[in-house]
Amino acid sequence: MALIFSSGSKGTMHSPSIQNIRSNSRRGDKIYLGVLGFAALVLFVLIVGIAATLAWQSRLSLQATGLKFVTLSVWDDAAGVYGIWPFLFGTLYSSLLALLLAVPISLGAAIFLAELCPKWLRTPITFLIELLAAIPSVVYGLWGIFVLTPFLRDKLMTPLAGKNIPLLSGAGYGPSMLTAGVILAIMILPFITAVSRDILQAIPKAQREASYGLGGTKWETISKVVLPYSRSGIIGAVMLGLGRAFGETMAVTMVIGNQPAQTDSGISFNLFEPGYTMSSALANKFNEAQPGLSTSALIEIGLVLFLVAVFINTLARILVRYTGKSVNK
């Protein structure tokens, strides 16, 4: 009887402590969930607040021009006419040019670092790539003015001047869409490389070992196993680089020339011609803007830039999800 009573009393003594532990654990989970939910809510409120502030501050321009603000090619403060089509075109054109130059190099470097590079060489190369990402954009701009622009002018633009080559014709004085594209490509290269390398390294070794076990070569394993398996992540890395190029201001402003093309539409696909981007237009025109419609139009440029950035990021998420599903199938 004593033993039964003793064991029963011990069981009664232990049960409240277990319940307290479970209760404290659930309370901690609720607090943790609340903190994370609050953090997510703050980010959402910030994004909505930025969009609402830009829309409110640009209301004068929205009322005066409406959708013509995006399609017009003339920006004339004296006449009160504001159109950003050359700026929008320059932003998209320079960013896509940067991707065309940077993606093959970045992807090749990421594959080399993840699959082929010796261990003793991997660390210093990785450090140098990450160092490129840490350089301020104004330093890239100064390098572009004093090194890249004269090099492209003397070695490429001047020899090809007057030869009527598609996309590579014109006087070519130095500051141009090509110079801006090269600068942007150099700036986004470390971001795409670093993210792609991490994604390639995260692929399970079993995938590679299965390919080797079936007699696959190194190149067959990379091209038919590694790259398809990491396709969605690489697309996300490319879109990250595109977002970086899309919003760059200082470096582009210093090398693009900051004037629309001398055409009726204000745009030109000629890489040797100067151009304009929305970011460089804001940097150049905001200090000289007069309160009222002029300032409101400049803020509307920021609103359009914000909306296009949201669209690009949404498209990136859709592409990543779609490619991820195709790989899992």
Side-chain angles (χ1 to χ4, degrees):
M1 292 292 294
L3 290 174
I4 296 174
F5 179 79
S6 175
S7 63
S9 62
K10 284 183 180 180
T12 328
M13 290 175 62
H14 281 292
S15 57
S17 62
I18 294 174
Q19 292 177 357
N20 291 336
I21 292 174
R22 290 179 177 174
S23 176
N24 293 333
S25 176
R26 291 172 181 172
R27 189 180 300 113
D29 290 341
K30 291 180 180 179
I31 294 174
Y32 185 66
L33 181 62
V35 171
L36 294 182
F38 176 75
L41 181 63
V42 167
L43 293 178
F44 177 77
V45 170
L46 283 175
I47 294 173
V48 174
I50 291 172
T53 302
L54 291 173
W56 175 254
Q57 294 296 331
S58 61
R59 65 189 184 280
L60 296 177
S61 177
L62 288 169
Q63 294 171 358
T65 59
L67 294 178
K68 292 182 179 179
F69 183 77
V70 178
T71 59
L72 288 176
S73 302
V74 178
W75 185 280
D76 190 347
D77 286 317
V81 178
Y82 301 99
I84 64 164
W85 172 235
F87 308 154
L88 179 59
F89 171 81
T91 302
L92 296 174
Y93 194 34
S94 60
S95 299
L96 292 177
L97 177 61
L99 284 185
L100 289 176
L101 296 174
V103 169
I105 300 174
S106 300
L107 188 55
I111 294 173
F112 175 75
L113 289 173
E115 304 293 330
L116 304 172
C117 184
K119 291 184 179 180
W120 62 269
L121 188 59
R122 184 176 301 164
T123 300
I125 293 180
T126 302
F127 172 77
L128 291 176
I129 291 174
E130 293 174 352
L131 183 63
L132 285 175
I135 297 176
S137 60
V138 67
V139 176
Y140 280 109
L142 291 173
W143 178 80
I145 290 175
F146 295 110
V147 178
L148 182 62
T149 300
F151 176 80
L152 292 177
R153 181 189 61 220
D154 299 337
K155 303 297 182 181
L156 184 63
M157 297 180 183
T158 302
L160 295 180
K163 294 188 177 181
N164 296 324
I165 301 175
L167 303 181
L168 299 176
S169 60
Y173 296 110
S176 61
M177 190 66 68
L178 176 62
T179 311
V182 174
I183 282 286
L184 287 175
I186 296 173
M187 295 181 69
I188 68 176
L189 191 147
F191 293 93
I192 301 176
T193 303
V195 176
S196 299
R197 180 207 63 210
D198 292 340
I199 291 168
L200 293 173
Q201 289 180 337
I203 295 176
K205 291 184 178 180
Q207 300 290 331
R208 298 177 177 86
E209 293 172 353
S211 176
Y212 294 142
L214 293 174
T217 63
K218 192 75 172 179
W219 167 245
E220 289 173 340
T221 301
I222 294 173
S223 61
K224 297 181 180 180
V225 177
V226 175
L227 291 180
Y229 197 88
S230 59
R231 187 191 311 161
S232 60
I234 292 175
I235 291 176
V238 172
M239 288 300 178
L240 176 65
L242 177 60
R244 177 73 174 87
F246 196 79
E248 177 53 41
T249 303
M250 286 307 300
V252 174
T253 304
M254 298 167 76
V255 300
I256 200 172
N258 301 306
Q259 66 180 37
Q262 302 302 315
T263 60
D264 294 336
S265 61
I267 66 172
S268 174
F269 288 92
N270 188 355
L271 296 176
F272 290 174
E273 294 291 335
Y276 238 136
T277 65
M278 288 188 285
S279 298
S280 63
L282 284 172
N284 283 320
K285 298 178 180 296
F286 206 88
N287 289 333
E288 302 174 357
Q290 300 297 323
L293 185 58
S294 178
T295 301
S296 179
L298 288 173
I299 297 176
E300 190 175 356
I301 294 179
L303 177 62
V304 173
L305 186 63
F306 176 82
L307 293 177
V308 175
V310 170
F311 172 77
I312 289 177
N313 280 277
T314 304
L315 180 62
R317 296 296 304 172
I318 294 173
L319 286 174
V320 169
R321 180 172 297 181
Y322 175 78
T323 53
K325 288 181 178 179
S326 64
V327 170
N328 291 331
K329 289 180 181 179

